[in-house]
Amino acid sequence: MSTLPPCPQCGSELTYNDGTQCVCPECAHEWQPGGAAEAEDGPRVYKDAAGNILQDGDTVTVIKDLKLKGGGGTVKMGTKVKNIRLVDSDHDIDCKIEGFGNMSLKTEFVKKV
């Protein structure tokens, strides 16, 4: 019988060692046994490209020209985005950019003002 812990993500008992990590063959989750897998229980911290912590309502500046999908134009570097809202999805910031409307941005392309 295996003495490895079950997968913390899906609960599968079919885990195996891969070097210093445990791997679940059912959901492909990898973790350090007895390590920091439980550390993700706290609230998520959102950081900008410079490592500053972001909060709802902050004002940020776009640090790179961002081409919009669908031929909608380009959000230019230096564009200020006011009153951001942080969300837990692929793109971390929901906002409204003047001239473009509502959109989602990734935190790696903005800097806190």
Side-chain angles (χ1 to χ4, degrees):
M1 287 275 156
S2 174
T3 60
L4 296 173
C7 176
Q9 190 164 347
C10 71
S12 172
E13 298 286 331
L14 302 175
T15 58
Y16 62 91
N17 273 334
D18 184 20
T20 61
Q21 296 191 45
C22 287
V23 179
C24 176
E26 293 184 12
C27 70
H29 180 66
E30 298 179 2
W31 74 98
Q32 295 288 333
E38 295 81 22
E40 297 178 17
D41 292 341
R44 182 169 175 196
V45 176
Y46 297 90
K47 294 185 178 183
D48 67 0
N52 299 316
I53 296 175
L54 297 172
Q55 296 178 350
D56 284 341
D58 282 346
T59 299
V60 296
T61 303
V62 177
I63 63 168
K64 174 183 173 180
D65 287 351
L66 301 174
K67 294 181 183 176
L68 303 178
K69 290 184 178 179
T74 303
V75 176
K76 298 289 185 183
M77 179 176 70
T79 303
K80 277 192 175 181
V81 182
K82 298 178 183 178
N83 199 23
I84 64 170
R85 187 171 56 115
L86 300 172
V87 294
D88 191 22
S89 67
D90 183 33
H91 291 70
D92 303 319
I93 299 173
D94 278 346
C95 60
K96 186 173 185 178
I97 297 179
E98 203 169 307
F100 293 98
N102 294 332
M103 63 178 35
S104 297
L105 299 172
K106 291 187 176 186
T107 55
E108 62 196 65
F109 299 123
V110 298
K111 183 175 80 172
K112 189 173 181 177
V113 176

